[in-house]
């Protein structure tokens, strides 16, 4: 039955008797009919509005909202509103709608105070640091548990993550390193040509590629590729309450989800760094051969004199620490996702940005450390 509306003037009271189905499907028609009952539009001079809903066969939130809005209009005009014929369920619905409409609207933020913004940022950074340290502590604890109880080690999961984060990343990392090595060699040779010292481009590219460029580019690529994937995976599991299900089953999410991913990154990042260094040197060799006429034999002889194993190892030693940081940040951000696609996107972006920032910071700390020990 469609919504109908009857009115009756009883002394100083205006009695409104809605009937039929007051549901969202008829909301536009109901709203137009209720316009005649507004305090300023009512032809009768009534001091009290009586809303008798005993004839309503169906009432949903939309119908209740329209009635409560009319009630608020009469109350705002200083007139009384009386409800009749409502059963307990409809009384609860009307009360809930009334409470929602009475909730204060949050104030619009004005111009933010600069010092307050700085303080909030510092508090946020402190919270991120606490989460990162907590995740790192959980990983170290699980490593110790695995050493004491080898049966808890999830070798299959680690190998699977090594395939995803390592083997499948080889083509793109080698291609990027090859191109960067070639660009670095071309720019070095172009600048050194003015001094008649193009041959020293081999020294420059060899040292920078082995000590800095290979590990830095690889870590950044892994942070953007694998770090974001880890955050998205764990965040989706957090949204689907799968991580809570693991806890209910008596399993530690750090052991099941975090440890295999972190160990996989720690194992594969040095290998990827080595391949990236070789690809960068290959790109430099080809570029200098074509651009400056430095043949491969001369390139290799000069490279052997310019670099040694310490140059290679100085880059490889950084890789496990960078992998540990990337893994812990990605997992911590994934575990921090809370119930919405917007939260998942925000934490995935934060994981990539924070990982790249921390990778650069760690690289700078290693550079200072190497300089202090003359390595």
């Amino acid at each position: 039955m469609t919504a109908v509306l009857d009115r009756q003037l009883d002394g100083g009271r205006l009695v409104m008797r809605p009937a039929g189905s007051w549901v969202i499907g008829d909301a536009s028609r109901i709203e137009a009919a209720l316009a005649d009952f507004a305090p300023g539009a009512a032809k009768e001079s009534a001091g009290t509005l009586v809303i008798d809903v005993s004839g309503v066969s169906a009432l949903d939130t939309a119908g209740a909202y329209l009635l409560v809005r009319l009630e608020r209009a009469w109350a705002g005009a200083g007139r009384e509103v009386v409800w009749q014929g409502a059963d307990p369920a409809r009384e609860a619905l009307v009360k809930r709608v009334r409470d929602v409409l009475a909730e204060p609207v949050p104030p619009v933020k004005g111009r933010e105070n600069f010092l307050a913004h700085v303080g909030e940022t510092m508090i946020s950074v402190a919270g991120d640091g606490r989460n990162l340290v907590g995740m790192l502590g959980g990983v170290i604890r699980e490593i110790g548990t695995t050493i004491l109880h080898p049966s808890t080690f999830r070798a299959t999961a680690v190998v699977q993550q090594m395939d995803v984060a390592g083997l499948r990343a080889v083509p793109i990392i080698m291609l990027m390193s090859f191109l960067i090595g070639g660009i670095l060699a071309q720019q070095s040779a172009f600048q050194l040509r003015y001094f008649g010292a193009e041959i020293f481009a081999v020294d420059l590219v060899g040292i920078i590629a082995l000590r800095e460029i290979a590990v830095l580019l690889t870590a950044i690529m892994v942070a953007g590729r694998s770090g974001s994937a880890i955050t998205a995976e764990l965040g989706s599991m957090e949204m689907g309450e799968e991580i809570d299900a693991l806890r209910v089953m008596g399993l530690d999410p750090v052991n099941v989800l975090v440890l295999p991913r972190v160990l996989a990154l720690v194992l594969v990042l040095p290998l990827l760094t080595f391949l990236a260094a070789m690809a960068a040197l290959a790109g430099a060799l080809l570029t200098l051969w074509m651009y400056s006429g430095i043949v491969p034999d001369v390139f290799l002889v000069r490279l052997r004199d310019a670099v040694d194993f310490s140059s290679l190892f100085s880059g490889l030693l950084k890789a496990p620490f960078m992998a540990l940081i990337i893994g812990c940040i990605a997992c911590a951000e994934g575990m921090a996702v809370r119930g919405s696609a917007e939260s998942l996107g925000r934490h995935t972006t934060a994981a990539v940005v924070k990982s790249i920032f921390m990778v650069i910071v760690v690289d700078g700390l290693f550079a200072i450390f190497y300089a202090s020990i003359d390595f």
Side-chain angles (χ1 to χ4, degrees):
M1 180 179 178
T2 58
V4 294
L5 187 59
D6 185 27
R7 65 192 299 159
Q8 178 183 354
L9 186 62
D10 183 12
R13 305 196 312 169
L14 177 61
V15 181
M16 184 179 73
R17 293 188 176 91
S21 298
W22 281 56
V23 294
I24 192 170
D26 291 331
S28 59
R29 194 162 58 87
I30 295 172
E31 185 176 20
L34 287 177
D36 295 335
F37 287 84
K43 298 178 182 179
E44 303 85 352
S45 57
T48 302
L49 174 67
V50 179
I51 304 176
D52 185 358
V53 295
S54 58
V56 176
S57 59
L59 180 67
D60 66 0
T61 306
Y65 164 75
L66 294 174
L67 292 175
V68 171
R69 191 176 67 174
L70 178 64
E71 176 194 44
R72 288 169 59 85
W74 277 71
R79 304 182 187 182
E80 183 183 5
V81 179
V82 178
W83 289 76
Q84 293 180 355
D87 57 25
R90 288 178 180 174
E91 288 181 356
L93 175 61
V94 171
K95 182 179 183 301
R96 178 55 184 157
V97 173
R98 189 183 292 124
D99 292 342
V100 171
L101 291 179
E103 290 178 0
V105 178
V108 179
K109 288 187 177 181
R111 187 176 180 180
E112 294 185 354
N113 184 281
F114 176 75
L115 294 179
H117 182 69
V118 171
E120 292 174 358
T121 303
M122 295 301 297
I123 293 174
S124 175
V125 170
D128 292 339
R130 183 173 62 253
N131 294 336
L132 178 59
V133 172
M135 183 60 66
L136 179 61
V139 170
I140 295 175
R141 181 198 63 201
E142 291 302 324
I143 291 176
T145 302
T146 301
I147 294 175
L148 296 176
H149 305 282
S151 60
T152 62
F153 181 63
R154 302 177 184 277
T156 303
V158 174
V159 173
Q160 193 269 340
Q161 291 298 324
M162 290 178 65
D163 172 64
V164 173
L167 186 59
R168 300 184 189 181
V170 168
I172 184 62
I173 287 179
M174 292 194 67
L175 176 61
M176 291 292 294
S177 299
F178 181 86
L179 295 175
I180 293 296
I183 294 171
L184 187 60
Q186 188 273 332
Q187 290 295 314
S188 301
F190 178 78
Q191 298 298 327
L192 292 172
R193 178 177 295 174
Y194 293 106
F195 308 97
E198 285 184 80
I199 190 65
F200 288 103
V202 178
D203 302 56
L204 180 61
V205 173
I207 293 173
I208 292 181
L210 294 179
R211 296 182 69 96
E212 297 291 341
I213 294 298
V215 64
L216 199 56
L217 280 178
T218 303
I220 291 174
M221 288 293 295
V222 169
R225 182 183 179 276
S226 302
S228 60
I230 290 173
T231 303
E233 290 171 1
L234 297 184
S236 298
M237 297 178 70
E238 187 72 47
M239 292 170 59
E241 299 183 354
E242 298 175 46
I243 296 178
D244 293 333
L246 289 175
R247 294 190 179 100
V248 170
M249 291 187 293
L251 299 175
D252 188 350
V254 176
N255 181 273
V256 178
L257 302 174
V258 175
L259 186 60
R261 289 168 169 80
V262 174
L263 285 181
L265 289 178
V266 172
L267 293 174
V268 302
L269 196 57
L271 302 177
L272 292 175
T273 299
F274 176 79
L275 294 177
M278 297 302 104
L281 293 178
L285 185 151
L286 182 61
T287 300
L288 292 178
W289 186 12
M290 298 175 61
Y291 184 77
S292 300
I294 301 176
V295 298
D297 291 343
V298 176
F299 180 94
L300 294 176
V301 171
R302 187 67 194 177
L303 181 66
R304 184 183 62 187
D305 295 336
V307 302
D308 51 20
F309 281 106
S310 64
S311 300
L312 177 61
F313 288 135
S314 64
L316 295 180
L317 287 175
K318 304 175 187 177
F321 295 94
M322 293 182 176
L324 184 62
I325 290 173
I326 293 171
C328 289
I329 291 177
C331 293
E333 291 295 330
M335 295 288 193
V337 173
R338 290 294 178 270
S340 67
E342 187 271 339
S343 176
L344 178 61
R346 185 175 66 252
H347 283 285
T348 301
T349 302
V352 176
V353 174
K354 292 175 184 177
S355 297
I356 294 176
F357 174 77
M358 288 304 301
V359 160
I360 295 174
V361 170
V362 170
D363 184 75
L365 294 177
F366 267 101
I368 297 173
F369 175 70
Y370 287 159
S372 66
I373 63 174
D374 196 22
F375 183 57

